[in-house]
Amino acid sequence: TCVTGYIDNPPSVFSYYANNGYSPSDIPTNNRKVQWKTGVIANGRAYIGNVKINDREYGDRIFKSPLFQYDVFTENQWIETVTNDGDHITALATYADRILMFKKKGVTIINISQVEEYPEGEQLGAGVDWPAAVVNTNYGIAWANSRGCFLYDGNKINNLLFSKTQSGSTQKI
């Protein structure tokens, strides 16, 4: 048998919140279920988009897990991006400390190299309808939609259906 006696000086610095970055009351109460339609793992965290948590749906928000706890999501840990634009997240992809957040109407590049994530840019007309339209390649993230075929190489988004000719004019190939 084990018997624990009275602890004279319990450690006051270590609390559940200090150890985990969230309190037990932050964990979803509805059978602890969190549902999402797309997700990626980057920089020691899981990022999920188009989420249902505590019976509330967040179609245009990315939630993130605590560091190295890929299966814990709370309603107060999410990335500040453009929200409530009437469009929902269809796919997430990661490349070179960036997350590409795809919606039907456009794509947003989110920098995740710092402590706080922030959006770097957005390109309208480059969105996708489903996650199967996005693929990781050795050259970056590639995707296709009805407007073209695109590649994010870590610096910028390129439309692969257009190329520069020798005279400098743009020509569809």
Side-chain angles (χ1 to χ4, degrees):
T1 62
C2 274
V3 178
T4 303
Y6 179 75
I7 300 174
D8 292 332
N9 295 318
S12 60
V13 175
F14 301 109
S15 66
Y16 188 89
Y17 185 83
N19 284 334
N20 298 298
Y22 57 92
S23 66
S25 62
D26 291 339
I27 296 174
T29 56
N30 182 14
N31 296 330
R32 300 197 185 277
K33 273 195 206 176
V34 178
Q35 299 170 318
W36 63 90
K37 294 188 178 177
T38 183
V40 293
I41 294 182
N43 292 353
R45 295 183 189 271
Y47 295 91
I48 57 174
N50 205 339
V51 178
K52 183 176 181 182
I53 184 170
N54 285 332
D55 291 326
R56 287 186 284 276
E57 294 185 23
Y58 300 96
D60 61 351
R61 189 175 288 177
I62 297 176
F63 287 83
K64 61 181 181 176
S65 72
L67 202 57
F68 301 114
Q69 296 182 30
Y70 305 110
D71 60 344
V72 176
F73 298 99
T74 63
E75 275 191 283
N76 60 359
Q77 291 186 326
W78 51 280
I79 297 177
E80 289 282 344
T81 59
V82 178
T83 58
N84 297 324
D85 61 357
D87 204 358
H88 63 275
I89 298 170
T90 56
L92 294 175
T94 181
Y95 185 76
D97 287 337
R98 306 293 190 273
I99 290 179
L100 276 67
M101 177 180 70
F102 293 92
K103 294 184 174 184
K104 289 189 176 205
K105 297 177 185 173
V107 61
T108 303
I109 301 169
I110 302 168
N111 188 319
I112 59 171
S113 64
Q114 306 296 320
V115 174
E116 292 294 321
E117 300 87 354
Y118 60 92
E120 281 187 336
E122 180 178 33
Q123 183 163 336
L124 294 176
V128 298
D129 289 332
W130 53 84
V134 181
V135 64
N136 287 355
T137 71
N138 293 337
Y139 306 104
I141 305 296
W143 67 96
N145 64 18
S146 61
R147 294 181 178 210
C149 183
F150 301 90
L151 175 72
Y152 176 72
D153 61 6
N155 295 317
K156 63 181 178 171
I157 296 174
N158 301 299
N159 190 338
L160 300 177
L161 294 183
F162 293 93
S163 69
K164 290 279 189 179
T165 62
Q166 291 179 350
S167 65
S169 63
T170 303
Q171 176 180 327
K172 190 172 182 176
I173 57 174

